[in-house]
Amino acid sequence: SRRHEHQIGGQHEEDVSRAQHPLGQLGAFEVPSFQVSVVDAVGAGDTFCAQLALGHAAGLPLAQAVRRACAAGALATTAHGAQTAMPTAGQVERLLTHAS
């Protein structure tokens, strides 16, 4: 995946044009990334995993569950902290709608 990073006024911004997610025996797939202004990455992985588990439990197709998890993980980097930065379902929906 291509990665571009730069500092702007003390905020770290990162653009990852496509992310690869290994999924064990299922292989891996690429998911278009979401552009966000990164403030703090703490909790982003936990948020991704939680949203992926929720998508799986809801019976979503794997590709859709991974896309939602990517959106949630991206949003989790836009605020400080772990639990306080976890996005709501509405925030994930808005990002998904805006990115489509």
Side-chain angles (χ1 to χ4, degrees):
S1 62
R2 269 184 321 137
R3 204 175 264 260
H4 304 282
E5 300 179 24
H6 56 280
Q7 286 288 119
I8 297 179
Q11 279 194 334
H12 178 78
E13 291 196 3
E14 185 172 342
D15 169 28
V16 180
S17 57
R18 294 184 86 68
Q20 285 191 357
H21 296 279
L23 296 169
Q25 293 179 350
L26 296 174
F29 51 116
E30 284 190 7
V31 178
S33 64
F34 297 94
Q35 278 203 266
V36 297
S37 294
V38 176
V39 174
D40 183 1
V42 171
D46 293 331
T47 301
F48 172 89
C49 291
Q51 185 62 56
L52 184 60
L54 284 170
H56 177 69
L60 294 178
L62 185 57
Q64 187 178 355
V66 170
R67 179 109 170 107
R68 293 183 66 78
C70 286
L75 286 169
T77 69
T78 63
H80 289 285
Q83 290 179 331
T84 55
M86 282 190 170
T88 65
Q91 290 170 316
V92 173
E93 284 299 324
R94 280 190 294 282
L95 181 59
L96 288 165
T97 300
H98 178 70
S100 296

